[in-house]
């Protein structure tokens, strides 16, 4: 049996100075052995005949495209030797104007609208929704350590039952809020105004869009250029600069970024981690 790995070794190193040690140093309590990605626990053959929801075995829960914040995109590009196919895909998105924005890599409005209006049996079954970072040959993630928050905190089965489910939900909320705070602070340092950031955030989590947006995975050239605020001549360099800026942040700066609400999310997550610990004793 493989020895459990500390949580800090499953996420980008840039988070290590920012997140609480109690979370980073976890091992056994954050292992979910029932969520078997190598043999999908949600596949029909691994479910009772009465199961109402199943996933196609070769798609699993990877019928989803994650949001990757700007500093994480930069981290992946700086460390591209570890995930060359993922880095190559990012460059293709930039070249094709496929929603590679100053806030990071965002799924197209076309995908967002389809996914947010999905039917009960769409997730795990629609081949055309398969994550662009998914590697079919190995049936694994092509950007694993730099994958999105949703991907790193989603499990279909929990070793500790409800306590595990509640913990992962709170961790997902905490990580999502944290990465957004870091992303926005980086943009402020690179001279993006609150109005510009607000306009960029309008391209996230869309339930509807214009006819043009819903019929294409690309952005119009003029709009793409305007949103980039003068950085469009070296987008890859911009993402790497975001990574560099985020790498300068310390815990005290991070606490200011996330504010009272973020600290409340952190406390809730740590309480649920303690509850998880008690359940598994």
């Amino acid at each position: 049996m493989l020895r459990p790995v500390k949580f800090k070794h499953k996420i980008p190193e840039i988070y290590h100075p920012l997140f609480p040690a109690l979370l980073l140093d976890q091992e056994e309590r954050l292992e979910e052995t029932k969520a078997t990605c190598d043999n999908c626990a949600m596949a029909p053959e691994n479910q009772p005949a009465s199961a109402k929801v199943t996933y196609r075995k070769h798609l699993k829960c990877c019928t989803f495209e994650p949001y990757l914040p700007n500093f994480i995109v930069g981290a992946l590009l700086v460390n591209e030797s570890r995930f060359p196919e993922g880095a190559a895909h990012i460059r293709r998105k930039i070249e094709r104007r496929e929603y590679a924005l100053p806030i990071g890599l965002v799924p197209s409005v076309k995908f967002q609208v389809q996914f947010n209006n999905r039917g009960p049996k769409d997730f795990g079954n629609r081949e055309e929704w398969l994550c662009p970072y998914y590697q079919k040959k190995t049936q694994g993630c092509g950007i694993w350590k730099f994958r999105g928050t949703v991907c790193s905190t989603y499990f279909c089965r929990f070793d500790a039952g409800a306590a595990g489910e509640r913990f992962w939900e709170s961790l997902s909320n905490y990580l999502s809020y944290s990465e957004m705070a870091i992303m926005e602070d980086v943009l402020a340092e690179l001279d993006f105004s609150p109005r510009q950031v607000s306009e960029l955030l309008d391209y996230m989590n869309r339930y509807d869009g214009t006819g043009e947006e819903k019929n294409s995975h690309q952005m119009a050239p003029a709009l793409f250029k305007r949103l980039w605020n003068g950085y469009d001549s070296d987008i890859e360099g911009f993402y790497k600069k975001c990574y560099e800026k985020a790498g300068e942040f310390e815990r005290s700066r991070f606490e200011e970024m996330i504010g009272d609400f973020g600290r409340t999310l952190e406390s809730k997550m740590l309480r649920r981690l303690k509850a998880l610990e008690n359940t598994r004793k």
Side-chain angles (χ1 to χ4, degrees), residues 81-150:
S81 61
R82 295 160 67 182
F83 299 99
E85 291 187 20
H89 181 77
I90 288 173
R91 292 194 175 95
R92 288 194 293 271
K93 287 181 77 71
I94 293 172
E95 292 170 1
R96 298 170 184 171
R97 306 186 311 279
E98 292 184 358
Y99 290 85
L101 300 173
I103 57 176
L105 298 184
V106 180
S108 68
V109 172
K110 179 178 181 179
F111 174 82
Q112 291 180 51
V113 171
Q114 290 180 350
F115 188 85
N116 284 333
N117 292 282
R118 64 190 178 278
K121 296 185 179 181
D122 285 341
F123 184 68
N125 291 286
R126 290 186 60 165
E127 184 122 19
E128 69 272 24
W129 287 0
L130 189 62
C131 178
Y133 308 110
Y134 184 76
Q135 295 182 315
K136 292 183 178 180
K137 289 182 180 179
T138 61
Q139 294 194 20
C141 180
I143 58 169
W144 185 79
K145 197 165 184 177
F146 301 98
R147 65 200 188 284
T149 291
V150 172

